[in-house]
Amino acid sequence: MEKEFDFQQIEDYVVGKLDAKARKAFEARLATDENLAREVAFYQDIIEVSEVLGDEDLEAEIKSVGAKLEKAGFGMEDQSAENAIKKHSFSTPKEPKIKKLPLHRILSIAAGFLILVVAGGLWWINANYGDQALATKYFHQEANALLRNAAPGEEDVLGSGLQFLTDENYAEAKSFFEAVPKSDEAFREARLYLALAQFKSKEYTAAASNAALAAQTKTHFQEKARWLQINALLAAGQTGAEFESLLNDMSVNSPDNYYRREAAKLKAQYESFWRTIRLSL
Amino acid sequence: MGENALQKQRLEQIRKGDNKSIETLYKDAFPYCASFVLKNQGTREDAKEVFQESLLILIKTARKPNFEIQHSLKAFLYGVVRNLWLKQLNQRKKSGLDLIIDEPDKNFVIIHEDEIELKKELEARYQGLYDAMQKLKDDCRKLLNLTFYQKLSDKEVAPILNYSLEFVRQKRRRCVKQLKKLTAM
């Protein structure tokens, strides 16, 4: 006979309705109750598939609204489209009156324009291909993902520190994670979160060092730590042999792996023509 | 009713998937959005496809918690259409783009979605459950859609399906049991 669970609580958990205290207590039970964990996983799968089916249904509904309006002669006739364009035309700039200018005036305007274009171009290259710009671009989305996948049980030890990170209170987060002793089994994971707090505080060198420490042993967060280390080294401008070796290893083709895909994209931008221009200036 | 309050009401109706509201918005916003596509190397068919995709994005985004709109729904849709169409043109590698300059004081929201890749990935992982959910009876499919896709509370679901609050919960439990049987087969 199927074990009776509190299904309302399971549903509240998977849709995110439990408060922090109740969620923590529930997750503690999940860590020890395999049957409960299986039931929760099934509900989570239902949510994932509901997204796909829901999109399909919604798409079909929107198409049917469109078809219904089309049948009623809305928006698809040549005249309707033309009227739509006429009604919603944006104003086009009028042809400027060109006065005849002396040559030296034309040349000075052209020189000024060229300086602006070059300055703008240099600014764009630096904004998009500078070391810190690349690192913070690729690490931006990763920050929250680091917090979601702590192994069951470990989050309790590091819970307060993770809350500081979630609240973007990086000073407190750093103090918390720095205080986790080396003898504690969560030490390396604490170093990963310390590195993250340092990265967010722009202490890139320290972040790289602690991420390297976190990545030393094979754990479920080793790849994340390596990825953070790569981005911290880049942001710190430490793009020597160690950085290149890590980036090359990480960007080995593996389309199913998120970090390897991101590393491949970073490598492409890092070796791009625009970055070469920037470095040669 | 003030303009802001009217926008909020329309957004709430669209969030709940009210067909009439979707139709009204479609009629209101389509010519405005289509003009950008038609003026930038698009056909009528392109305009229709991009607009429908944008409307899907709007409805899904409206269902996220704490979503608020700064401008009108029409302006929001325009921003999404513009972004999607420019992305498509870029992918088609058309040269010599001659874009219309927007009025400089208007800011449009840009939404980034990669719906197609996510859908393919999910279909591969959850094929069995996907097939099972399609075999469910309409009442179960509707209930699971309202709860897990549209993310409505039980209080909101109950009047839509004409169930009592308690029955919504019991029925959902039965539908999930049914899914388990179908996936075990």
Side-chain angles (χ1 to χ4, degrees), chain A residues 52-119:
Chain A
V52 175
L53 281 173
D55 280 357
E56 286 176 1
D57 290 347
L58 186 54
E59 213 176 308
E61 190 186 335
I62 290 170
K63 279 193 168 131
S64 101
V65 165
K68 178 184 164 188
L69 291 172
E70 236 176 295
K71 211 173 169 183
F74 171 80
M76 288 291 119
E77 307 281 335
D78 283 343
Q79 193 56 49
S80 296
E82 285 303 309
N83 286 346
I85 292 170
K86 279 179 193 164
K87 188 179 172 191
H88 295 291
S89 277
F90 298 107
S91 56
T92 49
K94 289 180 186 164
E95 288 287 335
K97 280 188 184 169
I98 300 171
K99 282 167 32 179
K100 233 181 166 173
L101 291 169
L103 181 62
H104 71 271
R105 190 91 176 99
I106 293 172
L107 287 175
S108 65
I109 291 171
F113 181 71
L114 192 62
I115 289 168
L116 272 174
V117 166
V118 167

Side-chain angles (χ1 to χ4, degrees), chain B:
Chain B
M1 191 186 277
E3 188 59 37
N4 271 346
L6 191 63
Q7 283 296 332
K8 277 191 174 162
Q9 190 187 56
R10 284 179 80 184
L11 188 62
E12 189 56 28
Q13 284 164 343
I14 282 168
R15 188 180 80 83
K16 289 181 177 165
D18 175 53
N19 197 275
K20 203 86 187 103
S21 302
I22 293 173
E23 199 177 305
T24 306
L25 180 59
Y26 198 118
K27 275 165 89 166
D28 192 29
F30 179 75
Y32 182 58
C33 296
S35 65
F36 181 81
V37 176
L38 292 167
K39 280 188 131 173
N40 288 282
Q41 305 180 41
T43 62
R44 280 191 296 277
E45 200 54 36
D46 289 332
K48 187 174 82 172
E49 270 179 30
V50 170
F51 180 78
Q52 289 181 356
E53 196 181 334
S54 304
L55 190 48
L56 177 74
I57 289 171
L58 167 63
I59 295 170
K60 285 188 68 176
T61 310
R63 288 177 181 156
K64 290 184 179 167
N66 303 321
F67 171 73
E68 275 184 17
I69 204 159
Q70 305 296 329
H71 307 277
S72 66
L73 289 171
K74 199 158 93 171
F76 184 94
L77 263 179
Y78 181 89
V80 180
V81 162
R82 187 174 184 275
N83 188 43
L84 287 180
W85 182 240
L86 290 178
K87 214 168 150 182
Q88 259 199 49
L89 284 181
N90 202 32
Q91 283 166 358
R92 291 182 192 183
K93 289 188 167 94
K94 283 189 188 234
S95 59
L97 275 178
D98 182 18
L99 295 180
I100 302 300
I101 315 277
D102 289 326
E103 285 113 346
D105 60 339
K106 281 193 181 170
N107 295 308
F108 296 103
V109 177
I110 304 294
I111 302 280
H112 295 282
E113 294 276 357
D114 199 355
E115 305 275 328
I116 298 167
E117 276 310 309
L118 177 63
K119 189 179 162 181
K120 279 186 187 162
E121 194 186 301
L122 287 176
E123 279 182 10
R125 275 169 65 186
Y126 301 115
Q127 192 61 49
L129 186 53
Y130 179 86
D131 292 341
M133 283 184 81
Q134 291 196 307
K135 287 178 188 163
L136 283 178
K137 285 190 179 160
D138 281 351
D139 54 355
C140 273
R141 246 190 99 155
K142 179 87 181 158
L143 175 54
L144 295 182
N145 177 286
L146 290 171
T147 305
F148 296 123
Y149 178 69
Q150 295 190 38
K151 306 210 191 315
L152 299 183
S153 67
D154 288 348
K155 273 190 185 157
E156 289 173 309
V157 169
I160 294 172
L161 298 178
N162 210 20
Y163 295 161
S164 70
L165 197 59
E166 189 49 41
F167 188 72
V168 167
R169 291 169 189 157
Q170 283 178 16
K171 179 75 181 175
R172 190 165 49 237
R173 178 71 202 112
R174 274 188 235 153
C175 294
V176 171
K177 257 187 178 166
Q178 175 75 1
L179 265 180
K180 274 195 178 165
K181 277 191 190 151
L182 289 168
T183 50
M185 280 156 57

Side-chain angles (χ1 to χ4, degrees), chain A residues 133-153:
Chain A
L134 279 180
T136 50
K137 172 186 170 180
Y138 278 94
F139 211 73
H140 173 70
Q141 279 189 322
E142 176 60 11
N144 288 337
L146 278 177
L147 302 176
R148 285 201 293 267
N149 294 324

Side-chain angles (χ1 to χ4, degrees), chain A residues 176-223:
Chain A
F176 179 91
F177 291 119
E178 265 167 355
V180 176
K182 216 170 174 177
S183 56
D184 194 304
E185 62 179 10
F187 172 75
R188 286 200 192 276
E189 191 166 3
R191 287 285 140 167
L192 168 61
Y193 296 129
L194 173 59
L196 175 59
Q198 286 166 335
F199 187 94
K200 299 301 259 180
S201 310
K202 299 189 182 184
E203 297 164 18
Y204 298 123
T205 305
S209 171
N210 281 304
L213 195 59
Q216 270 175 6
T217 52
K218 193 153 177 66
T219 56
H220 67 275
F221 52 80
Q222 188 182 37
E223 270 200 328

Side-chain angles (χ1 to χ4, degrees), chain A residues 240-261:
Chain A
E242 186 192 10
F243 167 77
E244 290 192 0
S245 168
L246 284 168
L247 184 59
N248 284 336
D249 285 345
M250 194 67 143
S251 57
V252 165
N253 188 26
S254 182
D256 293 333
N257 184 303
Y258 167 79
Y259 300 108
R260 292 186 182 277
R261 278 205 314 268

